[in-house]
Amino acid sequence: MTNNSKKEYFKGIRNINYEGRDSKNPFSYKFYNPEQIVAGKKMKDHFKFSVAYWHSFCGTGADPFGAPTQNFPWDKSQDPLHAAKDKADAAFEFISKMGFDYYCFHDYDLIQEGKSIKESEKRLKLISDYLLLKQKEHGIKPLWGTANCFSNPVYMNGAATNPEFDIVARAGAQVKLALDTTIKLGGLNYVFWGGREGYLSLLNTDMKRELEHMAEFLRISRDYARNNGFKGTFFIEPKPMEPSKHQYDFDTATAIGFLKNYGLEKDFKINIEVNHATLAQHTFQHELTVAANDDMLGSIDANRGDYQNGWDTDQFPNNLQETTLAMMVILKSSGFKGGGVNFDAKLRRNSTDLEDLFHAHIGGADTFARSLLIADKLLSNSKIPEILAKRYSTFDKGNGKLFEQGELNLVDLFKIAYETEKYSLKSGKQELIENIIFNHIN
Ligand code: XUL
Ligand code: CO
């Protein structure tokens, strides 16, 4: 039995359906048509849209300057289990009205952390029993689970990279429980985001030792999960800073280098978040390309930053240009390695109506669906692939081909250059490509 199975939190809002771009109904999809086939796959399978439990059901609108503004009706009970069940009821009603199949969670999004590991273990067991029922009822499951090893003050000096062993062990216990919960709920993947894995000052930090501890921690977490039947993929979610001054998983290239250095690249892929990419002074397209180049593109956390702010604003995606460029990379690399599109995005503090949660996610899903349609046309029916192929065509034959095959040495290059009398200055055609993209965005 569900907690409040009769209670409806989002009253008056029915299931969100695809009605096409001319619909005037704000509670409908204009572009996201889950069953529509694009590039050989259903839209819903391209994306695996997922709702972030923390932002959508645990967020209150509180910020460092002010108290909560969003007093949501599922957030009333003082009893942790009762409160957690109410939240689950609201979450599953929302996710199923959106027509999504997935959610992502931190351990203590699901239920408030206990005072001891023992109490937390008990709480997680009780709430995951309940979530299993809800999942079955609605046909929804986790895209990924994770452990919140950053909020509790014990992690102020780090979790896996804490200079004190006792805290590392505590983080290990927490990850064990989060893995148990993810496995029990049939989660497809498991994420590590290291908000406190880094430093505030190098003056008191042994970076080499901390990196080795982090690798060891990931290794034993993987081994535990594999021994307990977890078949999914582990993801590292890079972010350069915030809350730490410098985080060890700074960006995709750094995280891939780290994984390869410690032989973890087979089990671990990358979960790329838009606003983390821009915080690292990269574009989202750049981060996706770096991951795709190495077959490491696991999943994405969809959101957007703000051009004027230097922090992680986690706004819902609606920058069509940014998502179109992203979908081109994702389509070209044949989709995600195990993951999908998790809306790691939050309502603005002054978006205080329950229905705002729908507007936010509808906009996000439509932005991605529209980008998918545009990206598919750009890749299959525009001049862009041809322009790119032509740009590198001197490597398709002759000496260029021999070079790519590793058949030329430096003296060979010298001799070739010696004989060459003229060099052409070939246009990169950037403006033409930009116009082609612009003309496809409709
Ligand atoms: C923080 C962030 C996290 C991770 C999961 O910036 O993105 O919510 O996605 O811990
Ligand atoms: Co994220």
Side-chain angles (χ1 to χ4, degrees):
M1 269 301 285
T2 53
N3 211 29
N4 278 313
S5 43
K6 297 252 156 33
K7 183 154 188 191
E8 192 180 17
Y9 285 98
F10 303 94
K11 283 205 188 67
I13 301 179
R14 285 193 291 241
N15 291 351
I16 309 301
N17 294 313
Y18 171 72
E19 293 182 10
R21 71 185 303 169
D22 295 331
S23 168
K24 298 274 178 291
N25 175 10
F27 294 98
S28 72
Y29 293 119
K30 314 290 181 291
F31 296 91
Y32 179 51
N33 186 4
E35 301 296 322
Q36 185 180 333
I37 309 277
V38 184
K41 228 159 66 173
K42 287 184 183 175
M43 266 197 190
K44 66 175 189 185
D45 298 329
H46 275 284
F47 298 123
K48 296 207 197 102
F49 284 134
S50 154
V51 176
Y53 220 84
W54 53 102
H55 284 313
S56 293
F57 311 108
C58 310
T60 60
D63 71 12
F65 303 93
T69 52
Q70 293 155 341
N71 302 304
F72 292 137
W74 53 85
D75 189 17
K76 298 274 180 253
S77 173
Q78 294 307 306
D79 171 65
L81 184 59
H82 197 269
K85 287 183 172 178
D86 285 347
K87 184 157 59 175
D89 288 342
F92 278 77
E93 181 192 330
F94 175 76
I95 301 165
S96 86
K97 281 184 170 173
M98 287 302 301
F100 293 172
D101 299 324
Y102 300 96
Y103 66 105
C104 290
F105 67 87
H106 299 88
D107 41 5
Y108 304 129
D109 300 338
L110 302 180
I111 191 161
Q112 193 187 60
E113 183 171 10
K115 287 218 157 35
S116 63
I117 300 282
K118 196 170 166 194
E119 176 61 21
S120 296
E121 181 181 30
K122 194 171 130 209
R123 289 187 184 184
L124 284 169
K125 188 188 166 315
L126 291 171
I127 193 61
S128 54
D129 285 345
Y130 187 71
L131 286 164
L132 267 183
L133 295 177
K134 303 289 306 181
Q135 289 190 183
K136 226 168 143 198
E137 186 188 335
H138 293 277
I140 290 167
K141 63 178 169 176
L143 183 65
W144 49 259
T146 188
N148 177 337
C149 290
F150 44 90
S151 293
N152 193 309
V154 296
Y155 298 126
M156 69 174 189
N157 289 314
T161 60
N162 198 292
E164 255 186 82
F165 172 70
D166 282 354
I167 313 270
V168 175
R170 190 199 189 277
Q174 206 183 314
V175 168
K176 179 202 173 288
L177 294 180
L179 281 165
D180 290 342
T181 309
T182 305
I183 294 169
K184 175 171 166 183
L185 295 175
L188 300 190
N189 306 284
Y190 186 87
V191 161
F192 289 88
W193 171 63
R196 307 276 174 198
E197 314 295 20
Y199 58 80
L200 294 172
S201 168
L202 267 182
L203 294 174
N204 57 12
T205 303
D206 185 335
M207 191 201 279
K208 186 171 186 330
R209 216 163 169 182
E210 291 196 2
L211 287 169
E212 275 161 10
H213 294 172
M214 191 159 93
E216 183 59 14
F217 191 94
L218 293 178
R219 195 178 300 128
I220 60 179
S221 302
R222 175 208 52 199
D223 291 346
Y224 173 79
R226 291 288 183 238
N227 288 335
N228 284 276
F230 181 65
K231 301 249 176 333
T233 308
F234 301 91
F235 298 141
I236 299 287
E237 184 177 325
K239 185 174 181 182
M241 63 200 79
E242 194 200 7
S244 303
K245 169 186 159 52
H246 175 96
Q247 278 155 221
Y248 292 140
D249 302 318
F250 191 91
D251 62 3
T252 299
T254 310
I256 291 177
F258 170 84
L259 291 172
K260 289 196 168 176
N261 198 14
Y262 291 99
L264 293 165
E265 74 275 16
K266 288 215 164 45
D267 296 287
F268 288 77
K269 306 287 175 226
I270 310 293
N271 179 36
I272 298 173
E273 178 163 325
V274 187
N275 208 167
H276 296 180
T278 51
L279 267 181
Q281 303 289 317
H282 298 309
T283 59
F284 185 35
Q285 182 195 22
H286 167 94
E287 287 292 83
L288 293 165
T289 304
V290 172
N293 288 346
D294 263 339
D295 249 354
M296 295 288 281
L297 178 48
S299 203
I300 63 170
D301 270 9
N303 58 23
R304 78 176 203 277
D306 180 294
Y307 289 125
Q308 280 74 45
N309 288 341
W311 70 85
D312 195 13
T313 60
D314 282 345
Q315 294 170 94
F316 275 83
N318 74 356
N319 182 337
L320 199 54
Q321 179 95 16
E322 186 173 60
T323 48
T324 297
L325 301 181
M327 283 316 301
M328 285 175 77
V329 182
I330 294 164
L331 269 185
K332 264 214 288 200
S333 76
S334 312
F336 304 112
K337 303 268 164 292
V341 177
N342 171 48
F343 289 111
D344 193 354
K346 61 176 176 237
L347 293 178
R348 296 305 86 192
R349 185 168 184 260
N350 57 357
S351 297
T352 47
D353 292 338
L354 278 179
E355 65 166 50
D356 293 330
L357 212 49
F358 283 88
H359 297 312
H361 285 84
I362 289 170
D366 270 342
T367 301
F368 270 86
R370 195 167 170 180
S371 307
L372 169 69
L373 293 165
I374 299 165
D376 178 41
K377 279 195 202 129
L378 283 164
L379 293 176
S380 64
N381 198 20
S382 86
K383 288 265 179 229
I384 293 180
E386 194 186 313
I387 296 171
L388 204 64
K390 198 167 155 212
R391 198 160 188 231
Y392 292 88
S393 59
T394 57
F395 292 93
D396 295 338
K397 54 183 175 0
N399 287 331
K401 192 167 183 181
L402 291 177
F403 173 79
E404 273 199 354
Q405 290 167 338
E407 313 249 332
L408 298 184
N409 62 30
L410 198 61
V411 176
D412 293 328
L413 298 196
F414 178 80
K415 284 183 188 153
I416 292 163
Y418 218 74
E419 313 276 292
T420 308
E421 278 163 14
K422 248 183 38 210
Y423 294 96
S424 58
L425 299 179
K426 280 200 191 118
S427 168
K429 291 284 168 235
Q430 182 175 331
E431 294 80 1
L432 172 64
I433 298 174
E434 285 169 350
N435 290 354
I436 294 173
I437 292 175
F438 177 79
N439 291 329
H440 274 73
I441 293 183
N442 59 28

